[in-house]
Amino acid sequence: MKLYVFMVAPNPTRLRLILEEKRAAGAKIDLPEVMVNLVQGEQKQPEHLARHPLGKLPVLELDDGSHLTESGAIIEYLEELYPEPPMLGASPAERARGRELGRIAELGVLAPAARLVHASKSPLGADARPEVADDAREALAAPMALLDELLGDGRPFLAGDRPTLADCTLAAAFQFVRFAELDIVSGYGELARWDAAYRERPAAQAVLVA
Ligand SMILES: N[C@@H](CCC(=O)N[C@@H](CS)C(=O)NCC(=O)O)C(=O)O
C-alpha cells in the first residue's frame, strides 16, 4: 500500500497523525508516503486524477492497484488493519464517542477552518472572500465553545485519557490555521491548553510543521 499526502493539508495531516500515534505506541506500520504538491497543482494532473477523479488528497493506493479516497474511509480501513492502539476507542461505547467527537472536530472545526483559510490567505491561491471568511468564523464559534467546555474538566484529550481521531483532526485543523498566520484558538483557554500539550507529543512533532 501507499499513501498520497501533502504537508499541512488538514485531511492528509489528520491521517498521518493517527498513523504516527500508532507508531509511537509501538505499532509496525510500513506505509510509504508519496507527496502530491497541492501548491503546484499536481492534484489536478492526469496522473493524480487517475487515483482520485476529484483531484484531492489523501488517497490510499491498495496492493491490488485500486485507490481509496475520503480521509474518513481511509482512517476506518487503517484502523481495522492496525487496531493497536485504538484511535477511535476500545469498546463499542468508546468508539461511538470517538466517532461523535471525530465528526464534531471534522465538520464543526476542520471544515470551517479550511474555509476560513482559503477565503482569507489560501495557500492554493484562491481569491480572498471576506464574507465567506466571516461566515466560517461564525460557524466555528459553537463547536469551538463545545470542545472548550468538554476539556474544562482537565482531561488531556477530547475523549478522555487517550488520544483519538478527534484530537488528530483538531490538531490538523489548528495547524492549517497557524500555517496561514490566522488565529482561531485565542479566547478558548482549554483548547489553547490542549493545543500546546498535543503539539509536544512525538506524533505531533513528527508530522506538524507549523
Ligand atoms: N472529504 C475529503 C476532503 C478532501 C480534501 O478537500 N482534501 C484537500 C486537502 S485537505 C485537497 O486535496 N485540496 C486540494 C484541492 O481541492 O485542489 C476527505 O476527507 O478526504
Side-chain angles (χ1 to χ4, degrees):
M1 290 194 302
K2 209 186 282 181
L3 194 56
Y4 293 88
V5 292
F6 193 53
M7 312 293 273
V8 181
N11 285 298
T13 297
R14 70 193 191 114
L15 182 46
R16 295 175 66 225
L17 282 171
I18 287 171
L19 291 169
E20 283 310 317
E21 287 286 359
K22 287 180 182 285
R23 289 186 178 116
K28 298 275 175 271
I29 304 176
D30 181 19
L31 185 50
E33 291 182 354
V34 179
M35 295 286 153
V36 175
N37 192 320
L38 297 181
V39 176
Q40 291 178 3
E42 286 179 3
Q43 74 278 23
K44 306 298 184 204
Q45 295 302 313
E47 193 180 353
H48 188 70
L49 290 173
R51 302 177 194 119
H52 191 324
L54 299 178
K56 302 210 180 268
L57 293 173
V59 174
L60 180 68
E61 187 170 290
L62 305 179
D63 287 338
D64 67 1
S66 65
H67 296 96
L68 187 61
T69 67
E70 287 299 326
S71 56
I74 297 171
I75 286 165
E76 297 254 351
Y77 182 56
L78 294 175
E79 185 69 19
E80 289 196 34
L81 293 185
Y82 307 105
E84 294 299 329
M87 290 301 292
L88 288 173
S91 66
E94 279 187 18
R95 282 193 285 280
R97 194 63 69 198
R99 289 189 175 100
E100 176 191 46
L101 290 170
R103 292 295 275 174
I104 292 170
E106 180 185 358
L107 302 179
V109 179
L110 188 150
R115 274 206 308 282
L116 171 66
V117 168
H118 285 300
S120 309
K121 295 178 178 180
S122 173
L124 303 188
D127 291 339
R129 289 188 294 163
E131 69 293 349
V132 174
D134 288 347
D135 284 353
R137 279 199 183 273
E138 206 177 311
L140 279 162
M144 289 285 284
L146 185 154
L147 296 180
D148 195 63
E149 192 180 339
L150 190 73
L151 291 166
D153 61 7
R155 64 179 70 190
F157 302 104
L158 290 170
D161 290 337
R162 285 198 309 226
T164 64
L165 162 65
D167 299 280
C168 298
T169 300
L170 200 62
F174 284 4
Q175 171 185 243
F176 196 45
V177 173
R178 269 196 310 278
F179 181 78
E181 299 177 333
L182 298 169
D183 173 44
I184 57 171
V185 181
S186 290
Y188 298 101
E190 296 297 333
L191 281 169
R193 165 184 69 76
W194 169 90
D195 183 37
Y198 189 82
R199 284 157 68 187
E200 292 299 318
R201 292 182 64 74
Q205 301 267 325
V207 170
L208 302 181
V209 295

PDB file of all heavy atoms in Angstrom, residues 9-12 14 38 43-44 52 55-58 69-72 106 124, ligand 1:
ATOM      1  N   ALA A   9      -1.729  20.125   4.615  1.00  0.00           N
ATOM      2  CA  ALA A   9      -3.126  19.944   4.188  1.00  0.00           C
ATOM      3  C   ALA A   9      -3.867  19.156   5.278  1.00  0.00           C
ATOM      4  O   ALA A   9      -3.400  18.104   5.712  1.00  0.00           O
ATOM      5  CB  ALA A   9      -3.176  19.200   2.870  1.00  0.00           C
ATOM      6  N   PRO A  10      -5.002  19.675   5.763  1.00  0.00           N
ATOM      7  CA  PRO A  10      -5.563  19.119   7.003  1.00  0.00           C
ATOM      8  C   PRO A  10      -6.068  17.678   6.919  1.00  0.00           C
ATOM      9  O   PRO A  10      -5.871  16.916   7.875  1.00  0.00           O
ATOM     10  CB  PRO A  10      -6.692  20.089   7.375  1.00  0.00           C
ATOM     11  CG  PRO A  10      -6.942  20.923   6.165  1.00  0.00           C
ATOM     12  CD  PRO A  10      -5.697  20.922   5.348  1.00  0.00           C
ATOM     13  N   ASN A  11      -6.696  17.277   5.817  1.00  0.00           N
ATOM     14  CA  ASN A  11      -7.199  15.888   5.789  1.00  0.00           C
ATOM     15  C   ASN A  11      -6.065  14.861   5.722  1.00  0.00           C
ATOM     16  O   ASN A  11      -6.082  13.882   6.470  1.00  0.00           O
ATOM     17  CB  ASN A  11      -8.227  15.708   4.673  1.00  0.00           C
ATOM     18  CG  ASN A  11      -9.557  16.334   5.051  1.00  0.00           C
ATOM     19  OD1 ASN A  11     -10.189  15.930   6.015  1.00  0.00           O
ATOM     20  ND2 ASN A  11      -9.957  17.371   4.336  1.00  0.00           N
ATOM     21  N   PRO A  12      -5.049  15.073   4.857  1.00  0.00           N
ATOM     22  CA  PRO A  12      -3.894  14.185   4.941  1.00  0.00           C
ATOM     23  C   PRO A  12      -3.217  14.231   6.309  1.00  0.00           C
ATOM     24  O   PRO A  12      -2.755  13.207   6.811  1.00  0.00           O
ATOM     25  CB  PRO A  12      -2.959  14.733   3.857  1.00  0.00           C
ATOM     26  CG  PRO A  12      -3.866  15.389   2.867  1.00  0.00           C
ATOM     27  CD  PRO A  12      -4.980  15.969   3.676  1.00  0.00           C
ATOM     28  N   ARG A  14      -4.466  14.753   9.344  1.00  0.00           N
ATOM     29  CA  ARG A  14      -5.109  14.013  10.445  1.00  0.00           C
ATOM     30  C   ARG A  14      -4.835  12.514  10.302  1.00  0.00           C
ATOM     31  O   ARG A  14      -4.603  11.811  11.274  1.00  0.00           O
ATOM     32  CB  ARG A  14      -6.599  14.344  10.555  1.00  0.00           C
ATOM     33  CG  ARG A  14      -7.495  13.827   9.452  1.00  0.00           C
ATOM     34  CD  ARG A  14      -8.860  14.499   9.534  1.00  0.00           C
ATOM     35  NE  ARG A  14      -9.845  13.862   8.675  1.00  0.00           N
ATOM     36  CZ  ARG A  14     -10.907  13.221   9.118  1.00  0.00           C
ATOM     37  NH1 ARG A  14     -11.139  13.105  10.414  1.00  0.00           N
ATOM     38  NH2 ARG A  14     -11.765  12.684   8.275  1.00  0.00           N
ATOM     39  N   LEU A  38       0.222  20.113  -3.695  1.00  0.00           N
ATOM     40  CA  LEU A  38      -1.037  20.833  -3.940  1.00  0.00           C
ATOM     41  C   LEU A  38      -0.771  22.263  -4.394  1.00  0.00           C
ATOM     42  O   LEU A  38      -1.535  22.818  -5.189  1.00  0.00           O
ATOM     43  CB  LEU A  38      -1.882  20.854  -2.665  1.00  0.00           C
ATOM     44  CG  LEU A  38      -2.361  19.507  -2.108  1.00  0.00           C
ATOM     45  CD1 LEU A  38      -3.211  19.708  -0.867  1.00  0.00           C
ATOM     46  CD2 LEU A  38      -3.146  18.722  -3.161  1.00  0.00           C
ATOM     47  N   GLN A  43      -2.387  17.826  -7.944  1.00  0.00           N
ATOM     48  CA  GLN A  43      -3.598  17.025  -7.708  1.00  0.00           C
ATOM     49  C   GLN A  43      -4.577  17.064  -8.885  1.00  0.00           C
ATOM     50  O   GLN A  43      -5.477  16.248  -8.983  1.00  0.00           O
ATOM     51  CB  GLN A  43      -4.299  17.483  -6.410  1.00  0.00           C
ATOM     52  CG  GLN A  43      -5.043  18.801  -6.469  1.00  0.00           C
ATOM     53  CD  GLN A  43      -4.142  20.012  -6.285  1.00  0.00           C
ATOM     54  OE1 GLN A  43      -2.945  19.953  -6.525  1.00  0.00           O
ATOM     55  NE2 GLN A  43      -4.729  21.129  -5.891  1.00  0.00           N
ATOM     56  N   LYS A  44      -4.372  18.052  -9.785  1.00  0.00           N
ATOM     57  CA  LYS A  44      -5.274  18.171 -10.941  1.00  0.00           C
ATOM     58  C   LYS A  44      -4.626  17.613 -12.212  1.00  0.00           C
ATOM     59  O   LYS A  44      -5.170  17.740 -13.309  1.00  0.00           O
ATOM     60  CB  LYS A  44      -5.682  19.641 -11.169  1.00  0.00           C
ATOM     61  CG  LYS A  44      -6.292  20.331  -9.946  1.00  0.00           C
ATOM     62  CD  LYS A  44      -7.593  19.681  -9.452  1.00  0.00           C
ATOM     63  CE  LYS A  44      -8.189  20.478  -8.287  1.00  0.00           C
ATOM     64  NZ  LYS A  44      -9.069  19.703  -7.415  1.00  0.00           N
ATOM     65  N   HIS A  52      -7.641   9.771  -8.036  1.00  0.00           N
ATOM     66  CA  HIS A  52      -8.757  10.440  -7.347  1.00  0.00           C
ATOM     67  C   HIS A  52      -9.431  11.368  -8.356  1.00  0.00           C
ATOM     68  O   HIS A  52      -8.932  12.470  -8.613  1.00  0.00           O
ATOM     69  CB  HIS A  52      -8.210  11.227  -6.154  1.00  0.00           C
ATOM     70  CG  HIS A  52      -9.251  11.747  -5.210  1.00  0.00           C
ATOM     71  ND1 HIS A  52     -10.493  12.203  -5.615  1.00  0.00           N
ATOM     72  CD2 HIS A  52      -9.244  11.874  -3.848  1.00  0.00           C
ATOM     73  CE1 HIS A  52     -11.192  12.596  -4.551  1.00  0.00           C
ATOM     74  NE2 HIS A  52     -10.460  12.396  -3.481  1.00  0.00           N
ATOM     75  N   GLY A  55      -9.550  14.984  -7.756  1.00  0.00           N
ATOM     76  CA  GLY A  55      -8.298  15.724  -7.646  1.00  0.00           C
ATOM     77  C   GLY A  55      -7.990  16.203  -6.248  1.00  0.00           C
ATOM     78  O   GLY A  55      -7.669  17.383  -6.043  1.00  0.00           O
ATOM     79  N   LYS A  56      -8.111  15.297  -5.278  1.00  0.00           N
ATOM     80  CA  LYS A  56      -7.890  15.701  -3.882  1.00  0.00           C
ATOM     81  C   LYS A  56      -6.998  14.696  -3.170  1.00  0.00           C
ATOM     82  O   LYS A  56      -6.694  13.616  -3.683  1.00  0.00           O
ATOM     83  CB  LYS A  56      -9.240  15.810  -3.161  1.00  0.00           C
ATOM     84  CG  LYS A  56     -10.181  16.802  -3.825  1.00  0.00           C
ATOM     85  CD  LYS A  56     -11.105  17.450  -2.863  1.00  0.00           C
ATOM     86  CE  LYS A  56     -12.021  18.430  -3.572  1.00  0.00           C
ATOM     87  NZ  LYS A  56     -11.497  19.785  -3.612  1.00  0.00           N
ATOM     88  N   LEU A  57      -6.628  15.055  -1.955  1.00  0.00           N
ATOM     89  CA  LEU A  57      -5.853  14.193  -1.064  1.00  0.00           C
ATOM     90  C   LEU A  57      -6.611  14.066   0.261  1.00  0.00           C
ATOM     91  O   LEU A  57      -7.370  14.971   0.605  1.00  0.00           O
ATOM     92  CB  LEU A  57      -4.487  14.823  -0.771  1.00  0.00           C
ATOM     93  CG  LEU A  57      -3.511  14.922  -1.947  1.00  0.00           C
ATOM     94  CD1 LEU A  57      -2.276  15.714  -1.525  1.00  0.00           C
ATOM     95  CD2 LEU A  57      -3.094  13.527  -2.418  1.00  0.00           C
ATOM     96  N   PRO A  58      -6.391  12.985   1.015  1.00  0.00           N
ATOM     97  CA  PRO A  58      -5.460  11.900   0.776  1.00  0.00           C
ATOM     98  C   PRO A  58      -6.050  10.818  -0.126  1.00  0.00           C
ATOM     99  O   PRO A  58      -7.274  10.754  -0.328  1.00  0.00           O
ATOM    100  CB  PRO A  58      -5.242  11.327   2.186  1.00  0.00           C
ATOM    101  CG  PRO A  58      -6.562  11.536   2.874  1.00  0.00           C
ATOM    102  CD  PRO A  58      -7.081  12.849   2.324  1.00  0.00           C
ATOM    103  N   THR A  69     -10.355   6.737  -1.517  1.00  0.00           N
ATOM    104  CA  THR A  69     -10.331   8.172  -1.219  1.00  0.00           C
ATOM    105  C   THR A  69     -11.218   8.435  -0.001  1.00  0.00           C
ATOM    106  O   THR A  69     -11.836   7.504   0.522  1.00  0.00           O
ATOM    107  CB  THR A  69     -10.836   8.998  -2.416  1.00  0.00           C
ATOM    108  OG1 THR A  69     -12.232   8.743  -2.614  1.00  0.00           O
ATOM    109  CG2 THR A  69     -10.086   8.635  -3.692  1.00  0.00           C
ATOM    110  N   GLU A  70     -11.262   9.695   0.433  1.00  0.00           N
ATOM    111  CA  GLU A  70     -12.015  10.152   1.612  1.00  0.00           C
ATOM    112  C   GLU A  70     -11.270   9.758   2.889  1.00  0.00           C
ATOM    113  O   GLU A  70     -11.169   8.571   3.237  1.00  0.00           O
ATOM    114  CB  GLU A  70     -13.455   9.638   1.642  1.00  0.00           C
ATOM    115  CG  GLU A  70     -14.362  10.304   0.638  1.00  0.00           C
ATOM    116  CD  GLU A  70     -14.488  11.827   0.871  1.00  0.00           C
ATOM    117  OE1 GLU A  70     -14.462  12.272   2.020  1.00  0.00           O
ATOM    118  OE2 GLU A  70     -14.566  12.544  -0.130  1.00  0.00           O
ATOM    119  N   SER A  71     -10.770  10.779   3.566  1.00  0.00           N
ATOM    120  CA  SER A  71      -9.939  10.524   4.756  1.00  0.00           C
ATOM    121  C   SER A  71     -10.672   9.662   5.784  1.00  0.00           C
ATOM    122  O   SER A  71     -10.060   8.780   6.401  1.00  0.00           O
ATOM    123  CB  SER A  71      -9.476  11.844   5.378  1.00  0.00           C
ATOM    124  OG  SER A  71     -10.574  12.673   5.682  1.00  0.00           O
ATOM    125  N   GLY A  72     -11.985   9.891   5.968  1.00  0.00           N
ATOM    126  CA  GLY A  72     -12.728   9.106   6.966  1.00  0.00           C
ATOM    127  C   GLY A  72     -12.731   7.619   6.636  1.00  0.00           C
ATOM    128  O   GLY A  72     -12.531   6.767   7.520  1.00  0.00           O
ATOM    129  N   GLU A 106     -14.246  17.301  12.799  1.00  0.00           N
ATOM    130  CA  GLU A 106     -14.115  17.392  11.335  1.00  0.00           C
ATOM    131  C   GLU A 106     -15.089  18.411  10.737  1.00  0.00           C
ATOM    132  O   GLU A 106     -14.692  19.326  10.016  1.00  0.00           O
ATOM    133  CB  GLU A 106     -14.370  16.007  10.712  1.00  0.00           C
ATOM    134  CG  GLU A 106     -14.250  16.009   9.194  1.00  0.00           C
ATOM    135  CD  GLU A 106     -14.632  14.668   8.559  1.00  0.00           C
ATOM    136  OE1 GLU A 106     -14.960  13.731   9.308  1.00  0.00           O
ATOM    137  OE2 GLU A 106     -14.596  14.578   7.320  1.00  0.00           O
ATOM    138  N   LEU A 124      -3.416  27.723  -1.742  1.00  0.00           N
ATOM    139  CA  LEU A 124      -3.599  27.230  -3.113  1.00  0.00           C
ATOM    140  C   LEU A 124      -3.924  28.374  -4.081  1.00  0.00           C
ATOM    141  O   LEU A 124      -4.242  28.137  -5.245  1.00  0.00           O
ATOM    142  CB  LEU A 124      -4.703  26.167  -3.167  1.00  0.00           C
ATOM    143  CG  LEU A 124      -4.510  24.950  -2.271  1.00  0.00           C
ATOM    144  CD1 LEU A 124      -5.568  23.896  -2.571  1.00  0.00           C
ATOM    145  CD2 LEU A 124      -3.117  24.359  -2.424  1.00  0.00           C
TER     146      LEU A 124
HETATM  147  N1  LIG B   1     -13.770  14.945   2.165  1.00  0.00           N
HETATM  148  C1  LIG B   1     -12.416  14.792   1.677  1.00  0.00           C
HETATM  149  C2  LIG B   1     -11.796  16.169   1.505  1.00  0.00           C
HETATM  150  C3  LIG B   1     -10.519  16.110   0.715  1.00  0.00           C
HETATM  151  C4  LIG B   1      -9.911  17.476   0.528  1.00  0.00           C
HETATM  152  O1  LIG B   1     -10.612  18.504   0.363  1.00  0.00           O
HETATM  153  N2  LIG B   1      -8.580  17.499   0.503  1.00  0.00           N
HETATM  154  C5  LIG B   1      -7.871  18.735   0.313  1.00  0.00           C
HETATM  155  C6  LIG B   1      -6.640  18.756   1.236  1.00  0.00           C
HETATM  156  S1  LIG B   1      -7.134  18.836   2.917  1.00  0.00           S
HETATM  157  C7  LIG B   1      -7.361  18.835  -1.113  1.00  0.00           C
HETATM  158  O2  LIG B   1      -6.906  17.851  -1.660  1.00  0.00           O
HETATM  159  N3  LIG B   1      -7.415  20.043  -1.699  1.00  0.00           N
HETATM  160  C8  LIG B   1      -6.884  20.286  -2.982  1.00  0.00           C
HETATM  161  C9  LIG B   1      -7.897  20.802  -3.951  1.00  0.00           C
HETATM  162  O3  LIG B   1      -9.102  20.842  -3.621  1.00  0.00           O
HETATM  163  O4  LIG B   1      -7.490  21.161  -5.056  1.00  0.00           O
HETATM  164  C10 LIG B   1     -11.606  13.931   2.641  1.00  0.00           C
HETATM  165  O5  LIG B   1     -11.961  13.884   3.830  1.00  0.00           O
HETATM  166  O6  LIG B   1     -10.650  13.277   2.220  1.00  0.00           O
END
